[in-house]
Amino acid sequence: MPFTLCTWNINSVRLREPIVLKLLEEEAPDVLCLQECKSPVEKIPTEGFAALGYSHIVARGQKGYNGVAILSKTPLEDLGDRDFASLGHARHVAVRLENGVRLENFYIPAGGDVPDREVNEKFGQKLDYITEMRDHWRAEAPEKAIIVGDFNIAPREDDVWSHKQLLKVVSHTPIEVEHLAEMQDAGGWVDITRQDIPEGQLYSWWSYRAKDWSAADKGRRLDHIWATPDISNAAHGSRVLRDARGWEKPSDHAPVFASFDL
DNA sequence: ATGTCTCTTTCGAAGAGA
């Protein structure tokens, strides 16, 4: 059964319920993974999602910050969550899909403004979070698994509008890219988006601060869909729904899609 | 390019986080 997956940092699921519904209606992915829900689980507006057929929801939340959710048309088995770097944040949840695939939804810490753990504790927490992800998969190699989410790192030169100008900007610094690469290697993860779209500039986030985000187009590819090699050849059809960045009251992130024939 | 957006506390302005 082929299925389509979407990941989207929604920056408040309650404020943006209308555009989540728009996405579900117009694009109808089988599974939608959200990050930055900024809501306790019991306050997520699930009724509208269920009315569109997304009646299976597995989420982790906290008041005001972070929060991740997985919405599905078909049943999900809750496989629990992990608190990498012991931050006490709702940044991860894992499920089993009906086809046996393990799907994990991550919101990796943004890391603050200064890329130096000596003066910015948040940057150290980001690196530690990724190191613990690496060690987790070094201890047990994932199989038939997909990880998605806002990784808050744009790894490639063509994942940012200016490689040179972003080398010292958190999200594209060499130490972050190295940490991410080690974590990727530990799980054997295949970057599905770049498998499907190997060439050219590609972004999933544009700052709210730009006067005209689309004209300036100073984006970064922070949102990712990775899969283990045993299922990576089943993937196809990756895309970024750039239009959604221009919807009414948008998130600063655009949804990223991939399909799997499994 | 210190700009924009959302959350919280506690009813409105300010700080934190992104």
Side-chain angles (χ1 to χ4, degrees):
Chain A
M1 279 284 286
F3 73 98
T4 298
L5 187 63
C6 176
T7 181
W8 195 11
N9 178 316
I10 197 60
N11 186 16
S12 173
V13 70
R14 283 178 281 173
L15 195 68
R16 275 180 251 290
E17 181 188 5
I19 60 170
V20 174
L21 294 172
K22 179 179 169 75
L23 180 98
L24 295 176
E25 282 184 320
E26 294 182 1
E27 303 294 332
D30 294 283
V31 181
L32 173 62
C33 295
L34 299 173
Q35 304 86 35
E36 277 207 274
C37 296
K38 295 186 174 178
S39 174
V41 171
E42 64 273 16
K43 291 189 176 177
I44 295 173
T46 58
E47 285 182 21
F49 306 151
L52 293 178
Y54 297 84
S55 53
H56 303 95
I57 301 178
V58 171
R60 296 295 186 274
Q62 61 186 91
K63 194 159 74 173
Y65 303 101
N66 310 311
V68 288
I70 303 176
L71 283 55
S72 174
K73 292 178 174 179
T74 55
L76 301 172
E77 179 190 353
D78 190 330
L79 296 180
D81 53 76
R82 291 194 170 262
D83 182 24
F84 292 117
S86 304
L87 301 174
H89 297 168
R91 295 182 176 275
H92 170 252
V93 71
V95 298
R96 181 90 59 200
L97 306 181
E98 273 197 320
N99 59 11
V101 167
R102 178 186 186 91
L103 172 64
E104 306 206 25
N105 184 10
F106 284 95
Y107 175 49
I108 293 178
D113 287 332
V114 182
D116 179 352
R117 69 186 307 154
E118 299 303 320
V119 298
N120 169 22
E121 183 186 34
K122 292 185 188 308
F123 193 70
Q125 290 172 348
K126 180 180 196 174
L127 298 180
D128 291 346
Y129 192 98
I130 297 164
T131 297
E132 291 188 22
M133 290 173 75
R134 178 200 70 185
D135 292 344
H136 170 62
W137 286 310
R138 278 186 181 171
E140 186 175 7
E143 294 178 0
K144 208 177 173 186
I146 301 170
I147 61 172
V148 307
D150 179 0
F151 294 180
N152 268 310
I153 295 176
R156 292 175 27 153
E157 294 191 13
D158 53 4
D159 290 337
V160 295
W161 65 275
S162 169
H163 170 62
K164 223 171 183 177
Q165 287 180 256
L166 285 168
L167 274 171
K168 292 180 179 175
V169 175
V170 173
S171 71
H172 192 63
T173 64
I175 190 168
E176 289 171 271
V177 173
E178 285 165 20
H179 275 65
L180 191 71
E182 277 199 3
M183 182 270 275
Q184 181 174 12
D185 185 60
W189 298 110
V190 177
D191 179 342
I192 297 301
T193 309
R194 280 306 192 181
Q195 174 179 272
D196 287 346
I197 311 169
E199 305 289 336
Q201 304 300 120
L202 188 64
Y203 316 135
S204 65
W205 173 89
W206 295 261
S207 172
Y208 284 127
R209 295 174 189 176
K211 275 187 180 158
D212 184 337
W213 70 272
S214 190
D217 202 22
K218 292 183 175 179
R220 307 176 200 171
R221 190 172 70 101
L222 304 179
D223 302 276
H224 300 274
I225 298 178
W226 291 359
T228 45
D230 51 356
I231 59 170
S232 62
N233 61 357
H236 61 93
S238 292
R239 64 197 171 99
V240 176
L241 187 63
R242 183 183 169 114
D243 281 359
R245 180 60 179 80
W247 288 353
E248 196 171 342
K249 293 206 82 181
S251 168
D252 45 356
H253 294 252
V256 178
F257 290 80
S259 296
F260 291 81
D261 289 334
L262 289 170

